[in-house]
Amino acid sequence: MTGKITFVGAGPGAPDLITLRGAARLASADLVIYAGSLVNEKLLELAPHARCVNSAKIALHEVIALMRENFEAGRQVVRLHTGDPAIYGAVAEQYRELDALGIPYEVVPGVSSAFAAAAELKVELTMPGLSQSVILTREAGRTPVPPGEELEKLASHGTTLCIFLSVSGIPDLCRKLVAAGRPPETPAAVVYRASWPNQTIIRGTLADLAAKVEAAGIHRQSMIVVGDILNRSGELSCLYDRNFSHGYRSSDRSRSFQGKTAIFALTARAACKAAEIAAGLDDAVIVLPEKHAELVPAMRLRSYPDGGFGNAFRRCWNEFDGLVMVMAAGIVIRHVTELCESKLHDPAVVVCDERGTHAISLLSGHLGGANRLASDVARITGGEAVITTASDLRRLAAFDEVAARYHYKPIDPAVLTGFAAALLEDGEEFDLEMPPELFQQCYSANSRFHFSGPGDGNSFRIRRRKDGKELVFRKRRIALGIGCRRNVAAAELRVAAQEILEKHGFRLSEISCVASADVKKEETGLREFAEKLQKRLEFFSANELNAVEVPDPSPAAEEHLGIRSVSEAAALLAAGPGARLVIPKTSRENLTVALAMEGDEND
Ligand code: SAH
């Protein structure tokens, strides 16, 4: 029986900065060969059964001989290196020797001292506008630095520098950087023994750092960081910019899919892709055969026994608004055929290949939102959305798609199909009565559409010029349920509600009413809040509220008020029959908020 050799990055010093995998290898090690003074010997306590050898005291060929002998004897060997083994770890020659001997090994990374120092300095090494690169380097010592990599040359780029193994020559080093054109006032810092109990941080500039370091008596084991990023004066990152959309953020929420999504996968690769997609959607679970359950986070997982795909799919069909199927389209089509009924009720179905190259909107493209869901999935995977609805290809905003996106429902769904067909006929023209912003955004660019007025704010109306037929959509009732402590201020309610709604892509102005429990009738803050918004305030009795089934009842409210749920139940009641929660109960210090939207059954 042969053993196992693992190179492990020990991290910068603090014993709890080793990785979980590194610690697990130590726990089962029979032999630990650790690299000298910068590996914290406290880490050896994680290897209670191991013989421990300090490699500073032995030569390379002895280290290799030790590894080989123990490997052949079937033992677990850990070679423990400071920081991350890939940076000045002198591991390449060990890998080479082991390769030559045909002995396998694995490598576990660690936290490099460059990153531990950045953490202690609380800086970002790459700040927009200042530096978007980091150079990890060193001054020549016993190991020479190849020509072209002299500090003067590297410094001329103006990028952030992390300099290892060089603090003993810091006066010379700072002089060289200034000679290379870095202004003397450039900020620079030294972190001595980052993350160790005797860590010391010295901050200064290229002009005065050396003197400060000498005065502190620091000569070794330090990271030198140089660059304007130390002043943290760079530009804001685009990452949190509201107008910037990337894989995990979409700048226009009304264009994203809204609702609960179940992501199905059958193979291990597809399960990993499903996890990637789930992390980018608002509210998604992953449905997998039990054998792949380990591959995704438990909080998102729903598993079924092998062979249970059909049942799991049927169950999710009614429960979820969207289904993303990471598998062959054929499998999906066979299962969808027996379930699909009407475009008013069927969930959005998107098929995606396991590489995420194509996200195909398969069913309920407009009303159900599958086109939007396919676009979301493609944005997350970096793939392409495959959309086959003609109106989208011709960049025409389909009436039912616009309605679904802005939470309207058709009053007479039977006429939808005729209007969808008419939209695709070039000769057809329409008069549209709708909020002007909506017209502006969706229809003003095309001369076939004519604005005929803003309407009543609660509906929009489309008239076919050819025959005068009308298609009318009515805004769904959206009810904001609120539970609050006594004497909560109107402003507090407003700020919290606005923030919570925005996170889910809604605006306060969109809601139809505010709802709460009878016992809150005299809350002036709540009244003022609704009045300022110019929204109706509705109250429900404890009996009415307790009759509503809610996902997240509150034991505290039950004890104090005899009501199991205020915000969720009130929102659901106020939004009318068939309502569903679009924002589940969200708590802030003095209040809870939930949002419900009228469903389809209320026709
Ligand atoms: N592989 C290690 C570097 C080994 S070379 C890593 O990734 O961090 C040794 C040099 O690393 C030291 O001279 C010093 O410059 C730096 N170093 C290692 N541990 C450090 C620590 N805790 N604080 C500051 N610098 C450290």
Side-chain angles (χ1 to χ4, degrees):
M1 193 188 75
T2 53
K4 177 170 176 159
I5 298 176
T6 308
F7 288 80
V8 173
D16 55 353
L17 282 178
I18 193 169
T19 63
L20 292 175
R21 190 182 294 178
R25 296 296 182 271
L26 281 176
S28 58
D30 302 303
L31 169 68
V32 178
I33 309 171
Y34 66 100
S37 58
L38 274 169
V39 168
N40 193 336
E41 289 187 334
K42 270 182 163 290
L43 279 168
L44 303 178
E45 292 166 15
L46 299 179
H49 316 296
R51 183 183 146 214
C52 297
V53 176
N54 183 344
S55 64
K57 304 198 163 71
I58 54 177
L60 173 66
H61 73 270
E62 289 173 284
V63 171
I64 300 293
L66 252 178
M67 286 186 187
R68 177 183 189 173
E69 179 189 315
N70 282 274
F71 173 76
E72 284 169 357
R75 298 201 188 97
Q76 309 282 315
V77 180
V78 169
R79 177 73 169 110
L80 197 54
H81 280 277
T82 152
D84 184 276
I87 305 292
Y88 307 114
V91 283
E93 57 259 50
Q94 301 175 61
Y95 299 162
R96 201 170 47 211
E97 294 283 326
L98 293 172
D99 288 342
L101 292 167
I103 297 177
Y105 50 89
E106 72 167 340
V107 182
V108 179
V111 176
S112 173
S113 55
F115 302 116
E120 296 297 344
L121 291 165
K122 300 192 173 64
V123 290
E124 176 178 340
L125 299 174
T126 54
M127 278 191 78
L130 293 181
S131 178
Q132 288 293 285
S133 319
V134 184
I135 295 179
L136 307 182
T137 187
R138 61 169 296 173
E139 278 278 64
R142 262 179 305 167
T143 310
V145 165
E149 288 188 17
E150 296 84 6
L151 198 54
E152 293 89 330
K153 286 209 172 132
L154 301 181
S156 67
H157 291 283
T159 60
T160 305
L161 298 169
C162 292
I163 310 172
F164 291 70
L165 293 157
S166 306
V167 76
S168 62
I170 195 161
D172 206 27
L173 183 144
C174 291
R175 262 195 303 275
K176 278 192 202 166
L177 293 179
V178 174
R182 282 301 196 49
E185 57 279 8
T186 304
V190 158
V191 184
Y192 168 73
R193 287 173 76 87
S195 87
W196 291 72
N198 59 345
Q199 161 183 302
T200 307
I201 294 182
I202 314 263
R203 290 176 187 265
T205 62
L206 289 180
D208 64 11
L209 185 69
K212 290 182 176 176
V213 168
E214 297 233 311
I218 293 174
H219 305 292
R220 54 199 294 268
Q221 297 183 342
S222 298
M223 179 59 53
I224 307 170
V225 180
V226 179
D228 294 327
I229 52 98
L230 285 159
N231 282 346
R232 297 200 200 126
S233 55
E235 292 160 12
L236 289 185
S237 147
C238 303
L239 199 57
Y240 298 103
D241 187 331
R242 276 169 182 265
N243 299 319
F244 178 75
S245 60
H246 66 108
Y248 290 97
R249 235 174 272 263
S250 165
S251 58
D252 180 357
R253 294 298 301 259
S254 67
R255 289 186 185 278
S256 300
F257 183 76
Q258 286 162 17
K260 287 196 303 177
T261 311
I263 308 175
F264 281 77
L266 295 170
T267 64
R269 265 170 199 263
C272 296
K273 191 52 72 181
E276 183 187 329
I277 296 168
L281 293 176
D282 273 347
D283 187 359
V285 302
I286 302 168
V287 191
L288 289 182
E290 259 159 17
K291 62 179 180 218
H292 295 316
E294 282 297 313
L295 293 171
V296 306
M299 63 173 192
R300 297 213 181 261
L301 176 71
R302 290 220 187 166
S303 60
Y304 55 82
D306 275 356
F309 172 75
N311 280 338
F313 186 71
R314 261 189 298 283
R315 235 174 295 133
C316 291
W317 183 263
N318 289 321
E319 186 187 338
F320 288 87
D321 308 299
L323 303 172
V324 176
M325 313 301 293
V326 190
M327 61 189 68
I331 307 174
V332 184
I333 289 170
R334 278 176 222 292
H335 284 83
V336 162
T337 336
E338 57 168 301
L339 295 171
C340 65
E341 269 172 15
S342 123
K343 67 170 165 184
L344 290 178
H345 303 290
D346 293 337
V349 181
V350 168
V351 181
C352 179
D353 60 285
E354 66 175 27
R355 290 190 188 166
T357 311
H358 294 110
I360 308 163
S361 168
L362 195 69
L363 190 75
S364 303
H366 288 153
L367 271 181
N371 289 356
R372 274 168 282 150
L373 184 55
S375 304
D376 289 349
V377 171
R379 181 170 42 78
I380 295 164
T381 61
E384 200 180 333
V386 180
I387 310 274
T388 54
T389 37
S391 51
D392 297 85
L393 301 178
R394 296 198 220 157
R395 299 197 179 286
L396 288 168
F399 302 127
D400 52 352
E401 160 68 13
V402 172
R405 219 195 299 156
Y406 294 98
H407 317 301
Y408 286 80
K409 64 191 239 180
I411 287 182
D412 178 10
V415 299
L416 268 178
T417 315
F419 272 76
L423 182 71
L424 300 176
E425 295 305 333
D426 289 335
E428 292 264 3
E429 297 194 23
F430 303 89
D431 290 308
L432 307 181
E433 191 182 286
M434 56 172 45
E437 334 62 92
L438 207 59
F439 181 81
Q440 190 61 31
Q441 199 173 336
C442 305
Y443 298 104
S444 62
N446 188 321
S447 60
R448 290 170 53 205
F449 303 105
H450 309 276
F451 184 64
S452 64
D456 61 4
N458 261 326
S459 53
F460 73 79
R461 194 174 285 271
I462 297 148
R463 209 173 57 86
R464 256 171 104 171
R465 286 218 165 155
K466 214 173 220 170
D467 57 13
K469 274 200 186 135
E470 283 196 334
L471 167 61
V472 184
F473 290 96
R474 185 174 60 71
K475 186 122 197 151
R476 289 174 196 266
R477 275 165 73 87
I478 300 180
L480 177 69
I482 292 193
C484 58
R485 293 234 172 96
R486 211 167 294 154
N487 298 328
V488 65
E492 184 175 350
L493 285 169
R494 187 184 177 91
V495 170
Q498 193 160 0
E499 179 238 328
I500 295 165
L501 260 59
E502 262 185 23
K503 231 172 84 195
H504 290 81
F506 289 90
R507 277 166 300 144
L508 265 181
S509 58
E510 275 182 296
I511 63 171
S512 330
C513 62
V514 180
S516 189
D518 270 347
V519 288
K520 297 289 165 194
K521 266 188 178 152
E522 306 310 322
E523 275 308 321
T524 36
L526 187 59
R527 288 192 169 279
E528 214 180 288
F529 164 70
E531 231 161 71
K532 281 224 174 103
L533 276 179
Q534 297 183 313
K535 302 291 176 190
R536 211 179 44 256
L537 194 52
E538 293 184 19
F539 294 101
F540 298 95
S541 70
N543 280 344
E544 288 173 300
L545 293 170
N546 283 339
V548 181
E549 204 47 57
V550 294
D552 191 11
S554 146
E558 176 145 37
E559 199 182 310
H560 289 119
L561 308 171
I563 302 174
R564 283 189 303 129
S565 153
V566 176
S567 56
E568 291 189 341
L572 283 167
L573 284 173
R580 61 185 188 91
L581 276 178
V582 284
I583 305 181
K585 184 174 83 181
T586 309
S587 305
R588 292 291 179 268
E589 199 181 343
N590 293 314
L591 55 117
T592 63
V593 163
L595 198 73
M597 181 148 68
E598 175 183 344
D600 292 316
E601 289 89 286
N602 187 21
D603 287 326

